[in-house]
Amino acid sequence: MQAFLDMYKILHAGNLHMLKEVYREDICFVDPAHEIQGIDRLTQYFQGLYQNVRSISFTFAEPMIAGHEAYVRWIMEFIHPRLAGGRPVTVEGVSYIKWDDAGLIFYHRDYFDLGALLYEHVPLLGQIIRNLKKGLDQ
């Protein structure tokens, strides 16, 4: 678990080889937008994600661990030139991970608001999403 947290604290486009140090070859990675099988496909996915990110950081809460599985709450802050006018975007989420006896992760699922990550920060579409959310509480 600690290797997972430490990796995400320093992960960037230039060191994605680190994924192979914590994930198994047959990793199943799921987030609100994708389901990815295999370390090579996961590395390609992260290459695309990190390609235009100017900076990214994670803050983790204390993980809840039971046996070979854990939940960990996190806050991600990143800067992407095409989102939020290049200003920092903050997203809260939770990761659920399962690992084998060797300590390698074979299942990783992220839970977060995809709108807060992406849609709310796209011009025009962002305003529509924010207005829809405001309408839900009335």
Side-chain angles (χ1 to χ4, degrees):
M1 185 69 206
Q2 193 59 50
F4 170 83
L5 299 175
D6 291 344
M7 178 192 68
Y8 275 95
K9 288 178 184 175
I10 62 170
L11 194 65
H12 57 78
N15 65 2
L16 294 176
H17 64 277
M18 294 178 68
L19 295 170
K20 291 184 178 183
E21 296 172 13
V22 298
Y23 291 115
R24 261 184 9 193
E25 287 289 324
D26 64 345
I27 180 66
C28 176
F29 178 91
V30 182
D31 69 16
H34 300 88
E35 182 168 338
I36 297 166
Q37 297 286 332
I39 191 65
D40 291 336
R41 290 195 59 221
L42 182 62
T43 301
Q44 290 171 350
Y45 175 59
F46 273 68
Q47 284 172 339
L49 289 177
Y50 280 78
Q51 179 176 325
N52 293 313
V53 171
R54 290 196 179 136
S55 71
I56 187 166
S57 65
F58 287 89
T59 303
F60 295 101
E62 187 67 28
M64 293 184 289
I65 302 172
H68 283 87
E69 58 188 317
Y71 285 94
V72 63
R73 289 182 308 113
W74 46 261
I75 298 172
M76 174 179 62
E77 183 173 285
F78 69 96
I79 297 174
H80 190 288
R82 287 184 263 161
L83 296 176
R87 293 180 312 278
V89 174
T90 302
V91 178
E92 294 185 41
V94 173
S95 292
Y96 170 62
I97 63 171
K98 295 166 62 172
W99 58 90
D100 61 19
D101 289 336
L104 292 174
I105 298 167
F106 62 88
Y107 184 80
H108 176 169
R109 182 169 192 148
D110 281 341
Y111 298 91
F112 59 85
D113 179 351
L114 189 59
L117 173 74
L118 181 64
Y119 304 131
E120 291 179 23
H121 305 288
V122 175
L124 187 60
L125 180 59
Q127 188 60 49
I128 293 168
I129 299 293
R130 287 189 295 278
N131 288 341
L132 286 171
K133 283 185 171 182
K134 284 180 189 174
L136 291 175
D137 65 2
Q138 296 179 11

